[in-house]
Amino acid sequence: MLLTAPKIHDGIHWLPDGSVIETADDSTIIAIHGAEKLSEATHYDGILAPGFVNVHCHLELSHMKGMIPEHTGLVPFLQQVMQHRFGFTDEQKTTAREQAFDEMLRNGIVAVGDICNTNDTLPQRASGQMHFHSFSEAIGFNEMPTKQFGYAVQVYDAFAAQQSDTHILRQSIVPHAPYSVSYALFKLINGHYADSIVSIHNQESAAEDELYIKKEGAVRTLLSSLGIDDAFFHPSGKSSLQTYMRWLDATHPLILVHNTYTTEADITAVQRLHEHVYWCLCPNANMYIENRLPDINLLLRDANNICIGTDSLSSNHQLSILAELQTIKAQYPNIDWSTLLRWATWNGARALQMQHVVGKIEEGKKPGIVQITDIDGTWNARRVI
Ligand SMILES: [Zn+2]
């Protein structure tokens, strides 16, 4: 099949005008041609780009769409999630998950980093319609987190037992956040596999740093309201990131999610210690919960490994990578579309270590192709291949 459009983005940059993509029947890219093939090609309006990579999502929380009010701040948000997450039937949860998965497919998402506290998304992985890296998320803020780690291993093992001939299915055990995972649990996660991808909710609220710097603030109040004895915890006097980054070996690629309160000193420190650091932005969730975006110009200047996630429907109105890019573009008009599309495709594929298959329109890869129309107006994205 031959396809073309007024603009084609290959995942890294715009291709020359008049370029034509040739794909095989199984949608593998065979070649990129010049204008000599234009007359034989199917012409699409707008932009053609590789399928989107959603680096951070919690598909299992899809049933919580619209349950939690916006702009409460992180701590009240978390309290509401804990309160509401379990009051649903299995059928309600299954239906919501299926609808959310279909929504991601419709919006051109071809690969996902899925955060899991359960094995609820096994059927979506088995469908063979999307590449998955499932992050089995460990939570436990105490001195002896053996039980919590054991549970994360169980979830991991069920995902690891699932195989596919056609799609990438991978998994790793990861910490939820610095305020919900103790040093001891970080060390167990660190030792599970030396080179596993570690994804973590990082500096999503100012209170997280307050806990690490002074053992004060709203997160500490949250812990005590949950009956968690934090006597074992000693503040480091440094930000959360500058503390826990030393608890993970540099062999682990890191995906730091949110980064709403990350500073220049944090960026410099973590990049000095860790070779592979990806900054995953979930702007619509940030606006939903904290009504504030990270300093993206700062991340852009010091770290060009930025990728995009939707987070879950408990803190978002939709699961659309293009909707996330629109939010960034509205507040950061200085960032051009080529850069934003790169974050949404190639950088995401590298963050999830899937760049040999998706993220770029290149001979031999099978990235899926998305048509984006009216990117500066009433934008829309849909999968064409
Ligand atoms: Zn999240």
Side-chain angles (χ1 to χ4, degrees):
M1 188 175 177
L2 295 163
L3 310 87
T4 191
K7 286 177 88 71
I8 300 176
H9 196 276
D10 72 353
I12 295 182
H13 40 53
W14 299 112
L15 293 180
D17 287 353
S19 295
V20 173
I21 307 162
E22 183 172 2
T23 61
D25 289 344
D26 72 350
S27 76
T28 304
I29 308 288
I30 298 174
I32 314 285
H33 299 285
E36 71 279 0
K37 291 275 186 189
L38 265 180
S39 61
E40 300 167 52
T42 305
H43 289 247
Y44 290 87
D45 290 338
I47 296 166
L48 293 180
F52 294 127
V53 179
N54 184 357
V55 177
H56 182 82
C57 183
H58 308 239
L59 198 52
E60 68 183 20
L61 295 180
S62 299
H63 57 284
M64 296 185 66
K65 185 175 182 180
M67 294 289 301
I68 302 179
E70 298 184 54
H71 308 160
T72 60
L74 183 65
V75 169
F77 175 83
L78 291 171
Q79 285 167 323
Q80 298 252 3
V81 171
M82 286 182 275
Q83 199 179 325
H84 291 300
R85 129 166 236 185
F86 301 106
F88 294 84
T89 64
D90 285 349
E91 195 184 341
Q92 285 172 316
K93 289 197 278 185
T94 302
T95 305
R97 235 175 10 252
E98 286 169 351
Q99 286 173 351
F101 187 59
D102 284 347
E103 183 187 343
M104 282 208 285
L105 291 168
R106 272 199 315 278
N107 290 332
I109 294 167
V110 295
V112 65
D114 190 29
I115 306 288
C116 305
N117 301 120
T118 68
N119 291 118
D120 286 354
T121 53
L122 277 168
Q124 278 71 42
R125 285 168 46 114
S127 77
Q129 294 173 285
M130 199 178 288
H131 304 288
F132 270 77
H133 189 113
S134 300
F135 294 109
S136 169
E137 186 179 72
I139 300 178
F141 199 69
N142 59 56
E143 261 182 307
M144 285 282 285
T146 328
K147 201 172 128 204
Q148 288 88 347
F149 184 68
Y151 181 71
V153 171
Q154 262 180 39
V155 171
Y156 170 92
D157 285 345
F159 284 126
Q162 199 177 40
Q163 305 292 328
S164 167
D165 294 334
T166 56
H167 277 66
I168 301 170
L169 298 180
R170 297 207 197 108
Q171 47 283 318
S172 52
I173 298 182
V174 299
H176 166 255
Y179 55 83
S180 59
V181 174
S182 61
Y183 168 79
L185 187 49
F186 264 102
K187 294 315 280 182
L188 289 170
I189 294 164
N190 182 58
H192 187 240
Y193 281 103
D195 57 354
S196 63
I197 303 175
V198 168
S199 168
I200 181 170
H201 296 89
N202 179 63
Q203 294 174 306
E204 193 175 355
S205 80
E208 179 181 311
D209 282 335
E210 264 185 276
L211 179 74
Y212 273 79
I213 293 168
K214 293 195 242 168
K215 201 177 176 180
E216 289 175 2
V219 165
R220 187 163 190 223
T221 313
L222 172 71
L223 294 173
S224 67
S225 77
L226 294 170
I228 293 167
D229 178 2
D230 65 2
F232 74 94
F233 177 80
H234 301 290
S236 63
K238 293 180 179 164
S239 71
S240 63
L241 177 55
Q242 290 193 51
T243 309
Y244 77 75
M245 68 181 189
R246 299 182 189 285
W247 303 343
L248 295 166
D249 294 337
T251 47
H252 292 283
L254 297 183
I255 299 175
L256 304 177
V257 183
H258 292 305
N259 315 304
T260 325
Y261 293 85
T262 303
T263 65
E264 193 161 9
D266 292 328
I267 296 169
T268 306
V270 72
Q271 293 192 153
R272 194 175 292 150
L273 205 61
H274 288 266
E275 194 182 342
H276 301 289
V277 179
Y278 289 91
W279 304 94
C280 180
L281 307 179
C282 304
N284 286 335
N286 298 149
M287 293 307 292
Y288 193 113
I289 299 172
E290 294 262 330
N291 200 20
R292 166 186 165 138
L293 288 188
D295 186 342
I296 300 179
N297 282 334
L298 187 66
L299 291 168
L300 182 61
R301 190 169 66 240
D302 280 7
N304 206 13
N305 287 333
I306 300 177
C307 52
I308 306 290
T310 59
D311 221 338
S312 77
L313 284 175
S314 69
S315 60
N316 207 335
H317 301 290
Q318 69 280 305
L319 301 180
S320 161
I321 292 295
L322 185 55
E324 303 296 325
L325 299 186
Q326 293 288 346
T327 298
I328 298 173
K329 185 71 175 166
Q331 295 210 25
Y332 291 90
N334 60 304
I335 305 175
D336 59 47
W337 278 115
S338 182
T339 302
L340 292 171
L341 290 172
R342 181 174 179 167
W343 296 355
T345 57
W346 180 240
N347 285 3
R350 283 163 52 236
L352 295 180
Q353 297 183 352
M354 297 181 184
Q355 71 272 29
H356 59 296
V357 181
V358 297
K360 188 164 184 235
I361 296 176
E362 185 175 60
E363 191 182 325
K365 293 190 185 3
K366 208 171 164 180
I369 293 177
V370 168
Q371 179 195 24
I372 303 167
T373 47
D374 200 10
I375 200 165
D376 287 310
T378 57
W379 52 270
N380 183 53
R382 73 178 180 107
R383 182 99 177 257
V384 293
I385 281 186

